[in-house]
């Protein structure tokens, strides 16, 4: 970032500290959009996921995805 002059710094300070932020209640950010995808885990499940993450270098989403796909494959073989 270039060095600001005193006038530019004062103008930026005015803009950031004294201007009210513009908001729109109709615009939803990423946390609100993904709220229904948030889950709460018990301590045992969270610790299990952390241990698996360290052992496999996978993200929690990847681990959960793998578990669900295994469960679905087992259910399909049980139905057949």
């Amino acid at each position: 970032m270039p060095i600001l002059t005193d006038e530019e710094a004062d103008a930026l300070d005015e803009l950031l500290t004294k201007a009210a932020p513009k908001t729109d209640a109709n615009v939803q950010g990423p946390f609100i959009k993904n709220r229904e995808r948030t889950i709460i885990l018990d301590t045992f499940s969270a610790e299990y996921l952390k241990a698996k993450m360290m052992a496999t270098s996978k993200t929690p989403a990847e681990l959960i995805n793998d578990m669900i796909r295994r469960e679905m494959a087992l259910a399909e073989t049980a139905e057949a």
Side-chain angles (χ1 to χ4, degrees):
M1 183 171 170
I3 304 293
L4 300 176
T5 64
D6 286 340
E7 293 81 21
E8 291 171 329
D10 289 339
L12 185 59
D13 181 54
E14 283 281 323
L15 175 68
L16 296 178
T17 59
K18 296 188 178 161
K22 295 177 182 144
T23 60
D24 184 357
N26 295 322
V27 176
Q28 293 186 348
F31 296 109
I32 292 175
K33 288 179 184 176
N34 294 322
R35 176 178 32 205
E36 63 274 356
R37 294 171 61 187
T38 301
I39 58 170
I40 306 298
L41 299 176
D42 58 42
T43 304
F44 175 79
S45 299
E47 292 299 321
Y48 177 82
L49 273 177
K50 283 198 306 192
K52 290 291 271 185
M53 284 170 43
M54 292 178 157
T56 63
S57 298
K58 290 186 175 183
T59 66
E62 290 171 324
L63 291 170
I64 293 169
N65 186 26
D66 291 347
M67 285 186 238
I68 291 170
R69 292 193 184 280
R70 269 195 309 274
E71 184 72 25
M72 290 173 70
L74 286 172
E76 284 182 7
T77 57
E79 287 178 2

